[in-house]
Amino acid sequence: MNIGQALTASVSGLTANTITVQAFITPGLPTFTMVGAKDTVLLQARERVRAACKTTGLSWPKTRITVNLSPASLPKYGASYDLAVAACLCSAMRCVNPFALDDTLVLGELALDGSVLPITSVLPIVSHALATGIQRIILPEANVPEARILSDDSLSILGVKHIQDLLRILGASSNTIGLPVSSSPSVTTQPTQNEAEQRYSSLTDGSYQFLDTASRDFTDVIGHEDAKWALEIAAAGGHHVLMQGPPGVGKTMLASRLPSILPDLTHEEAIEAACIRSSLGLPVTSPLDVTAPFLNVHHNVTLASFTGGIQGATIKPGAMTLAHHGILFLDEAPEFERNVMQALRTPLETGFVTVTRLRGAVSYPAQFQLILAQNPCPCGHLWSTHGECTCTAQELRRYRQRISGPIRDRIDIKLDVPPVHSLATPAASSDTYSPLLGTHAHWDSEHMRETVRLARERSAYRYQNLPWSTNAHADASWLMRQTPRSLLTAVNALLKREEITVRGAHKILRIAWSISDLLGKGHPDADDLSAAQALYLPGN
């Protein structure tokens, strides 16, 4: 009677947990039983492990084998447990030194010829190993570069290409293995851009994509000084924006340049964004990318792709989670399915999205900055001088109702983007006049980014002992206590006339504080409140 033991990890959402794998070999009829798992893919590990061991030359025990994965209550899905099952079996058969598996996580999927295939969710597992004091991780060699992004001197990362490499690391004697052990691992490199794009295409349904915003600058945008000022306010306070205007006026161009003025992600935010990409098997760069992600979602997106759903054997994050700490852009917002738009309601309030499927429920972070764009009517010519609007009153009403009142109420800034009547544009270093701002300002991304950075520093200093750092997430009770009483009186007048809801009143105050931070004031004044009201209630 022999017992072998190995450690591996399961991932639920972005949270990893240590799983203990035990192999129990007892006299009896030749059987292989796995307990503590209910996933079909995981149960099939017995066939993959058996074939990999036999092709390697290991003698398979012709007796009763029981493999237990504990805690049994934790969800376990996928094939990443194969290598740990093989390791504990070898330990139970005394093919390797059982003490070689102490404080070691073993991860990897086995092919029938014994080769080790890459897995996903490597970064959450490495983060868990660092937090729990694990000393070593053995995983597929293809995952080593990603794992070393977060690892330090306290954690040893070992890559294997074949089960033979695992046996060599665990101290198996050369006569234990029928095939020659590979002499040295090959150099592992990061995937090329084409390989990364192929992996990305195979993991998504094409309904959303990351946009490369590195070369985009606000100097490319002709005119629209008010829109630029509004987006600067949105960047400073983390506010959601709805842009409305005829086709071709530059709504998408404006939105795609918003990341160019956002501050870099903090180290913790960059790690969390990288863990989200890792959970989908998307490439993660080293050093970590600190640019805020910009996710452009197509209107044909499904609810499962938007919020998260089943991919392979596990629940994977959707577009809302991939935009965490960044921007979620929905162009032609009224064309999205109603259930997709309604799915935004809870994440906009809580910063989390819960995916509930037959396999269970998983919560993912989804604290993004929402940018919506829409035409004024279905045909797009309501405000245009290039054609006559042919929409009926019923069509126009139905179109505007596609974005429901509760969603509009959660949007901070509603922005009308009018047509541009001249191609003349000032040089990047010159300044132009903004009627909304009421002054001259520079409208290139370099100057705007510096202004936003200073505004963020002012708000971060103000909230340094509070659980939020931007105005968009400031607590309503704090706003009521800190805002001057004269401004509250003006907001109460809007509430009394039922022009806004209580949520709308709080959003106007948050926008006013963002404007105050941009202008370097200690607190908002009447002018800031008036500008905030114009942004939240355009046309009033």
Side-chain angles (χ1 to χ4, degrees):
M1 182 174 65
N2 295 324
I3 295 180
Q5 180 172 299
L7 299 179
T8 186
S10 68
V11 179
S12 177
L14 300 182
T15 303
N17 296 282
T18 301
I19 300 296
T20 301
V21 185
Q22 290 180 315
F24 186 37
I25 299 177
T26 57
L29 295 176
T31 58
F32 189 118
T33 304
M34 184 175 291
V35 296
K38 60 180 180 180
D39 177 48
T40 302
V41 176
L42 180 52
L43 291 175
Q44 292 169 349
R46 57 191 176 191
E47 303 303 330
R48 293 189 294 271
V49 172
R50 191 202 314 266
C53 289
K54 287 187 175 181
T55 55
T56 304
L58 288 172
S59 59
W60 189 259
K62 298 180 180 179
T63 182
R64 180 180 180 84
I65 302 172
T66 303
V67 175
N68 178 47
L69 287 81
S70 64
S73 58
L74 287 178
K76 310 171 193 72
Y77 303 109
S80 62
Y81 305 91
D82 292 357
L83 204 61
V85 172
C88 71
L89 278 173
C90 291
S91 176
M93 292 187 292
R94 299 299 183 259
C95 298
V96 300
N97 180 5
F99 299 104
L101 289 167
D102 291 346
D103 290 326
T104 300
L105 291 183
V106 184
L107 305 151
E109 176 183 351
L110 282 173
L112 298 184
D113 62 353
S115 58
V116 182
L117 306 178
I119 61 173
T120 61
S121 299
V122 172
L123 288 187
I125 293 173
V126 173
S127 180
H128 168 74
L130 290 170
T132 55
I134 294 292
Q135 298 180 0
R136 184 171 65 169
I137 297 181
I138 301 174
L139 76 171
E141 189 172 348
N143 294 121
V144 169
E146 180 179 338
R148 286 179 176 164
I149 292 175
L150 297 183
S151 64
D152 54 24
D153 295 338
S154 66
L155 180 63
S156 176
I157 304 293
L158 300 178
V160 294
K161 295 187 296 183
H162 196 275
I163 192 175
Q164 297 170 335
D165 299 327
L166 172 68
L167 296 173
R168 174 172 53 84
I169 292 172
L170 298 181
S173 59
S174 58
N175 58 2
T176 303
I177 308 167
L179 300 176
V181 180
S182 55
S183 56
S184 61
S186 60
V187 177
T188 306
T189 60
Q190 292 282 9
T192 64
Q193 184 65 25
N194 289 337
E195 290 172 341
E197 290 177 356
Q198 290 174 1
R199 289 178 63 185
Y200 174 79
S201 300
S202 65
L203 288 166
T204 67
D205 57 8
S207 58
Y208 54 83
Q209 62 176 339
F210 289 100
L211 288 187
D212 182 10
T213 58
S215 61
R216 300 172 190 253
D217 195 285
F218 271 101
T219 55
D220 303 329
V221 182
I222 299 173
H224 294 314
E225 283 73 23
D226 283 352
K228 294 174 185 177
W229 168 238
L231 290 178
E232 195 171 2
I233 296 171
H239 302 288
H240 308 303
V241 180
L242 169 62
M243 293 187 289
Q244 181 174 244
V249 296
K251 300 186 295 296
T252 302
M253 177 178 281
L254 285 164
S256 64
R257 278 148 183 79
L258 182 57
S260 67
I261 63 174
L262 289 175
D264 290 339
L265 301 180
T266 65
H267 182 65
E268 292 74 16
E269 291 172 344
I271 289 176
E272 194 169 14
C275 287
I276 292 170
R277 294 179 65 91
S278 176
S279 67
L280 274 173
L282 299 177
V284 180
T285 60
S286 179
L288 291 174
D289 187 4
V290 295
T291 304
F294 184 95
L295 205 68
N296 185 17
V297 184
H298 194 266
H299 61 78
N300 68 354
V301 67
T302 63
L303 182 62
S305 182
F306 194 58
T307 61
I310 299 294
Q311 186 180 97
T314 58
I315 299 177
K316 293 295 185 179
M320 284 196 285
T321 301
L322 284 170
H324 184 54
H325 294 314
I327 296 169
L328 183 69
F329 178 52
L330 275 60
D331 200 2
E332 305 292 347
E335 301 299 332
F336 284 75
E337 294 293 336
R338 182 175 179 82
N339 60 347
V340 171
M341 294 299 297
Q342 292 300 105
L344 289 166
R345 294 173 65 166
T346 300
L348 289 178
E349 290 290 325
T350 64
F352 288 90
V353 57
T354 300
V355 184
T356 304
R357 299 291 184 268
L358 290 176
R359 294 185 182 276
V362 175
S363 290
Y364 285 107
Q367 189 171 305
F368 50 81
Q369 194 169 350
L370 179 65
I371 309 295
L372 302 179
Q374 70 171 51
N375 296 328
C377 66
C379 74
H381 294 301
L382 184 61
W383 298 349
S384 176
T385 59
H386 306 295
E388 182 180 355
C389 178
T390 59
C391 303
T392 64
Q394 184 179 8
E395 290 173 337
L396 184 60
R397 182 170 59 253
R398 187 184 301 115
Y399 182 79
R400 291 178 174 174
Q401 289 175 348
R402 295 296 295 270
I403 302 179
S404 65
I407 296 296
R408 288 182 180 272
D409 202 34
R410 286 167 168 81
I411 304 298
D412 306 56
I413 298 174
K414 287 89 170 178
L415 185 62
D416 292 336
V417 184
V420 175
H421 299 101
S422 174
L423 292 179
T425 181
S429 60
S430 65
D431 58 16
T432 52
Y433 182 77
S434 167
L436 180 63
L437 179 57
T439 184
H440 290 261
H442 291 277
W443 297 121
D444 60 286
S445 291
E446 181 180 358
H447 284 89
M448 295 171 69
R449 181 183 176 91
E450 179 64 14
T451 304
V452 169
R453 184 187 67 80
L454 293 174
R456 287 280 185 115
E457 287 183 356
R458 294 184 186 103
S459 63
Y461 179 79
R462 183 169 60 248
Y463 303 136
Q464 57 183 327
N465 297 320
L466 297 170
W468 61 84
S469 60
T470 58
N471 295 312
H473 303 109
D475 182 72
S477 60
W478 185 95
L479 289 172
M480 303 297 291
R481 292 194 302 269
Q482 301 297 326
T483 302
R485 184 171 297 275
S486 59
L487 302 189
L488 293 179
T489 301
V491 173
N492 287 334
L494 295 175
L495 284 169
K496 187 175 183 179
R497 295 195 298 268
E498 298 185 357
E499 295 184 23
I500 58 174
T501 63
V502 173
R503 182 191 285 121
H506 295 156
K507 289 193 174 297
I508 289 176
L509 293 178
R510 292 185 176 103
I511 297 171
W513 276 98
S514 295
I515 296 174
S516 173
D517 289 335
L518 278 173
L519 299 179
K521 303 176 183 178
H523 56 75
D525 56 23
D527 291 337
D528 301 332
L529 185 69
S530 178
Q533 181 181 340
L535 289 170
Y536 185 75
L537 298 171
N540 287 9

